[in-house]
Amino acid sequence: MGIGGGIALIVIGAILSFGVKDAIDGVNLEVIGYICMGAGVLALILAIALNAQRSNTTHREVVEHREVPPAPPAGPQV
């Protein structure tokens, strides 16, 4: 979802909680707005925590270097 999705949920929740005065039978828009704002805050915190964790990672490259010892001198052939 990311940071943008969290901010969008907070904005939608605030609009439902504080801006909408209409009523729907059996649906409390104010409570739905508060739920959306809570989910948006949670999504925002998780997105920031995951981005901080991702940028804290280091990468190391391991290069193996093997030197072959020289061959022993050839002795006289019999």
Side-chain angles (χ1 to χ4, degrees):
M1 179 175 283
I3 295 174
I7 292 174
L9 277 176
I10 292 172
V11 169
I12 292 169
I15 290 171
L16 286 175
S17 294
F18 307 121
V20 177
K21 298 299 179 195
D22 290 338
I24 300 174
D25 291 334
V27 177
N28 190 347
L29 293 177
E30 188 173 346
V31 173
I32 291 176
Y34 286 132
I35 291 171
C36 285
M37 284 193 294
V41 168
L42 183 64
L44 190 61
I45 290 170
L46 285 174
I48 290 171
L50 290 176
N51 281 340
Q53 182 181 17
R54 184 178 305 146
S55 66
N56 196 15
T57 304
T58 60
H59 300 283
R60 294 183 184 191
E61 183 177 342
V62 177
V63 178
E64 286 190 26
H65 180 72
R66 297 183 186 177
E67 292 196 23
V68 180
Q77 298 267 338
V78 188

